């Protein structure tokens, strides 16, 4: 059921169920005006998601011929249903950066690179094959590349006279974008800022320092005047500036933990380092992690390793195709 969460402009939230996924819900937002509408994000390419989203759009009497669809980033839980809900007249907006990554994914270049990267970082071929079968990013992606009009940082567009500014916030994905209603001081934060879970920051092809980019993007949002933040998942019952500080502190602790592990145990690969880090998987040790959660954890470990390499704290070297890490200054 769609929930009215703001008046003038009228903003609704449609909760889109994500079956068997720890995120549970995708928040699809709708700005409804007399002449045109905006829909933000879609859900996975799954029947349950499609049913929830289309029911919400029908309840709000949204005509997709007179609607703009804005996609905050390329992950399948945000773009998976694009082909199912747009018409020939729907305007689809997405960052130029993430749209190009999606093109590579559909051209078949992205996933083979990602699998080789994880292999070099210490993940076994057997586990790589296993994740291929269960990774929701692959299983529930759009079946074909949708058409989109790409937008850039600080580009603005209007919905029913309300001006929205596109804000490039790389980190969670290379082209992640937030939307900002400056007059109303409302931020649609996508997965850049979540309130009761920490956004996953992984490495990306062609990006040297995803985590550094993410932390810089947090500072960019921190400088805005924000009255209401609407995240891509779960609730928003906290001051956004306090939440940004919490996320910054979280990554500061994780950076220091990563460095400490390498200083105490030189020559580990990313999987071995990740196994020693602290993760929020209640009652489970590393060996018990489901492969898709282990995949996310290894990706985040690599992003912290890249961050430390960029700042001259550690070095990466290769031995028989596997990458290993050493600190430049060992713990005293």
């Amino acid at each position: 059921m769609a929930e009215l969460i703001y008046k003038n402009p009228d903003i609704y939230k449609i909760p889109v169920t994500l079956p068997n996924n720890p995120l549970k819900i995708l928040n699809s937002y709708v700005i409804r005006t007399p002449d045109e509408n905006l829909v933000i994000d879609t859900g996975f390419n799954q029947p349950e998601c499609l049913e929830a989203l289309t029911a919400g759009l029908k309840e709000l009497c949204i005509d997709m011929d007179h609607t703009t669809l804005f996609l905050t980033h390329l992950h399948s839980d945000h773009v998976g249903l694009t082909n199912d809900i747009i018409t020939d007249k729907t305007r689809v907006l997405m960052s130029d950066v993430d749209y190009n990554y999606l093109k590579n994914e559909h051209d078949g270049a992205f996933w083979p690179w990602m699998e080789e990267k994880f292999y070099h970082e210490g993940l076994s071929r057997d586990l790589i094959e296993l994740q291929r079968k269960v990774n929701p990013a692959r299983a529930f992606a759009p079946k074909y590349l949708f058409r989109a009009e790409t937008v850039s940082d600080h580009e603005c567009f209007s919905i029913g006279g309300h001006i929205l500014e596109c804000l490039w916030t790389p980190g969670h994905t290379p082209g992640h974008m937030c939307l900002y209603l400056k007059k109303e001081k409302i931020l649609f934060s996508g997965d850049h800022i979540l309130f009761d879970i920490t956004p996953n920051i992984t490495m990306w092809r062609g990006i040297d320092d995803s985590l550094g980019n993410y932390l810089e993007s947090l500072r960019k949002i921190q400088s805005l005047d924000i009255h209401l933040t609407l995240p891509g998942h779960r609730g928003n019952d906290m001051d956004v500036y306090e939440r940004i500080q919490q996320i910054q502190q979280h990554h500061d602790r994780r950076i220091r933990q990563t460095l400490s592990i390498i200083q105490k145990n030189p020559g580990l690969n990313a999987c071995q380092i990740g196994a020693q880090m602290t993760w929020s998987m209640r009652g489970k040790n590393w060996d018990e992690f489901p492969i898709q959660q282990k995949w996310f954890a290894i990706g985040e470990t690599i992003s912290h390793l890249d961050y430390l390499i960029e700042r001259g704290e550690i070095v990466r070297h290769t031995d028989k195709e596997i990458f290993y890490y050493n600190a430049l200054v060992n713990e005293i």
Side-chain angles (χ1 to χ4, degrees):
M1 179 179 293
E3 174 190 359
L4 178 65
I5 53 180
Y6 192 85
K7 291 285 291 180
N8 193 28
D10 292 350
I11 303 176
Y12 296 84
K13 179 173 69 174
I14 300 174
V16 179
T17 301
L18 304 176
N20 304 313
N21 189 286
L23 291 173
K24 299 181 181 179
I25 296 289
L26 180 280
N27 298 328
S28 178
Y29 296 102
V30 177
I31 298 180
R32 189 173 69 173
T33 77
D35 299 320
E36 57 183 335
N37 314 294
L38 175 70
V39 174
I40 302 173
D41 292 338
T42 71
F44 281 129
N45 182 17
Q46 286 183 277
E48 298 90 340
C49 297
L50 181 60
E51 181 180 354
L53 181 59
T54 53
L57 296 175
K58 182 178 180 180
E59 178 186 347
L60 297 175
C61 301
I62 299 300
D63 180 357
M64 294 303 293
D65 282 353
H66 301 283
T67 296
T68 295
L69 174 62
F70 184 88
L71 303 170
T72 58
H73 62 291
L74 62 80
H75 283 151
S76 298
D77 54 326
H78 293 257
V79 306
L81 291 173
T82 299
N83 293 315
D84 298 87
I85 66 169
I86 63 174
T87 71
D88 291 340
K89 297 181 180 180
T90 306
R91 185 187 188 194
V92 181
L93 300 180
M94 187 177 191
S95 81
D96 49 354
V97 176
D98 266 15
Y99 193 64
N100 284 329
Y101 271 87
L102 268 184
K103 284 182 180 178
N104 288 333
E105 184 174 330
H106 282 270
D107 289 344
F110 176 76
W111 284 107
W113 176 87
M114 185 73 84
E115 290 180 352
E116 281 305 299
K117 172 66 173 173
F118 273 70
Y119 170 72
H120 291 305
E121 298 287 357
L123 190 63
S124 71
R125 294 287 189 193
D126 288 345
L127 289 179
I128 290 171
E129 176 65 26
L130 179 59
Q131 72 77 33
R132 186 182 298 166
K133 299 174 182 177
V134 299
N135 191 326
R138 302 179 76 162
F140 306 129
K143 295 305 180 188
Y144 57 90
L145 183 67
F146 49 82
R147 56 170 179 79
E149 179 183 334
T150 60
V151 290
S152 302
D153 194 23
H154 298 298
E155 192 168 334
C156 295
F157 63 95
S158 174
I159 297 293
H162 301 279
I163 306 300
L164 295 108
E165 183 179 5
C166 305
L167 296 174
W168 181 42
T169 49
H172 183 63
T173 66
H176 188 288
M177 275 194 164
C178 298
L179 271 184
Y180 184 47
L181 277 162
K182 186 173 183 178
K183 180 181 177 182
E184 294 81 7
K185 303 177 183 179
I186 296 174
L187 180 75
F188 297 92
S189 67
D191 282 5
H192 182 56
I193 299 170
L194 302 174
F195 285 80
D196 57 356
I197 52 176
T198 304
N200 177 255
I201 310 300
T202 190
M203 82 294 162
W204 291 87
R205 188 178 188 179
I207 304 296
D208 293 328
D209 186 14
S210 292
L211 179 58
N213 293 342
Y214 178 69
L215 295 174
E216 181 62 32
S217 297
L218 283 179
R219 289 188 287 270
K220 178 177 183 175
I221 297 302
Q222 204 169 19
S223 69
L224 299 177
D225 187 5
I226 302 170
H227 171 71
L228 174 65
T229 304
L230 300 174
H233 301 281
R234 305 194 186 183
N236 60 335
D237 55 353
M238 180 187 294
D239 175 82
V240 67
Y241 305 106
E242 180 182 354
R243 181 56 182 155
I244 288 172
Q245 288 183 339
Q246 286 184 353
I247 296 173
Q248 290 168 331
Q249 291 165 359
H250 162 82
H251 285 292
D252 182 62
R253 289 192 300 271
R254 181 144 293 175
I255 290 163
R256 287 187 280 109
Q257 183 183 34
T258 304
L259 181 57
S260 177
I261 290 169
I262 297 169
Q263 288 173 330
K264 293 175 181 177
N265 305 275
L268 298 180
N269 62 49
C271 291
Q272 293 168 330
I273 294 166
Q276 296 189 38
M277 293 175 69
T278 303
W279 305 100
S280 297
M281 290 288 288
R282 298 183 185 90
K284 293 184 178 180
N285 60 41
W286 180 258
D287 291 336
E288 297 173 319
F289 278 23
I291 181 55
Q292 60 267 38
Q293 296 304 316
K294 190 172 289 188
W295 181 269
F296 293 142
I298 294 167
E300 182 142 331
T301 300
I302 296 168
S303 75
H304 286 74
L305 293 168
D306 287 342
Y307 181 92
L308 290 166
I309 289 172
E310 286 295 307
R311 284 149 188 82
E313 300 280 352
I314 65 173
V315 293
R316 176 189 287 128
H317 61 93
T318 308
D319 183 12
K320 297 179 181 178
E321 296 189 321
I322 305 302
F323 298 148
Y324 297 94
Y325 297 87
N326 288 308
L328 288 175
V329 178
N330 288 326
E331 194 173 43
I332 298 175

